[in-house]
Amino acid sequence: MSKKLLIDLLKLRELNDIKMDGVFREGESFKVFKSIRELATFQYTCRKCENAPCINACPAEALEKDDDGIVTRAVNLCIRCKSCIVICPFGTMMNDLFEVKTSGYRFFDLNDEREMTEFAKAFPEDVVKIVEMEENPDEKIYQLNDKILVKELMWL
Ligand code: SF4
Ligand code: SF4
């Protein structure tokens, strides 16, 4: 069984003023990334509206649904206008979801195994840890991708 990062998003939200984030970088720049929070929001909190208001409202055509009906954002197209955030009837997305926080922040590229380990070490063990386990919905633990498990409340 391969090692994965287990991130307890329920506890992570309770930590104040954390100037760190685990991200999946797209390209060389750390300004072009998706955070775990963004991926988890679209996968687990989003209601997956049939005629999605967020997609219709996006002036940059940066949002689309993938084959599983999950909304994804093209980071290179998004102009961070927040129209999608404002129009979502369920308040799914936090106001700062797509912000790039550069000042004093440290980003860990979770495609890199060494940075993944450092990311786990940077947090209390009950918030982020390295595990060898599979998803377990009974414990609210869901697989985000082949490297990440998150503990999160899922909209059903
Ligand atoms: S409008 Fe909100 S709930 Fe509906 S698909 Fe978009 S993000 Fe999800
Ligand atoms: S922030 Fe604006 S540009 Fe970016 S995905 Fe949302 S609506 Fe589109």
Side-chain angles (χ1 to χ4, degrees):
M1 200 179 293
S2 64
K3 288 184 181 169
K4 301 185 184 79
L5 215 51
L6 172 58
I7 303 174
D8 188 328
L9 290 175
L10 305 173
K11 287 191 177 153
L12 192 63
R13 286 192 200 99
E14 290 169 10
L15 297 180
N16 293 323
D17 201 27
I18 346 160
K19 296 214 161 191
M20 298 181 286
D21 210 347
V23 299
F24 285 101
R25 196 152 47 141
E26 299 187 346
E28 288 307 304
S29 169
F30 258 124
K31 290 192 175 177
V32 186
F33 65 74
K34 285 185 185 167
S35 66
I36 301 296
R37 206 158 57 102
E38 175 178 344
L39 294 171
T41 295
F42 282 132
Q43 197 152 325
Y44 303 122
T45 319
C46 170
R47 310 298 207 264
K48 303 179 180 62
C49 308
E50 200 167 312
N51 186 16
C54 57
I55 294 176
N56 296 335
C58 178
E61 299 189 2
L63 296 176
E64 63 178 10
K65 282 189 185 171
D66 69 13
D67 294 343
D68 297 321
I70 293 168
V71 178
T72 62
R73 180 177 66 107
V75 182
N76 57 334
L77 296 180
C78 175
I79 53 172
R80 300 188 179 86
C81 65
K82 300 188 177 176
S83 302
C84 55
I85 294 171
V86 172
I87 207 162
C88 173
F90 301 102
T92 293
M93 295 176 272
M94 296 292 118
N95 200 35
D96 64 346
L97 193 61
F98 306 142
E99 272 175 24
V100 180
K101 298 165 184 163
T102 46
S103 175
Y105 261 73
R106 178 166 181 202
F107 294 103
F108 296 83
D109 181 359
L110 300 183
N111 283 317
D112 181 302
E113 205 157 303
R114 188 179 51 83
E115 291 208 21
M116 201 167 132
T117 306
E118 285 179 18
F119 179 69
K121 283 186 188 160
F123 285 87
E125 213 199 330
D126 63 337
V127 179
V128 181
K129 60 184 162 194
I130 292 176
V131 296
E132 288 188 35
M133 61 182 285
E134 300 298 337
E135 123 174 315
N136 181 356
D138 289 343
E139 299 277 333
K140 300 186 177 62
I141 293 172
Y142 304 100
Q143 178 138 347
L144 191 67
N145 58 33
D146 59 344
K147 292 182 176 179
I148 309 290
L149 294 167
V150 294
K151 188 162 189 179
E152 175 63 305
L153 296 175
M154 188 176 192
W155 180 80
L156 295 170

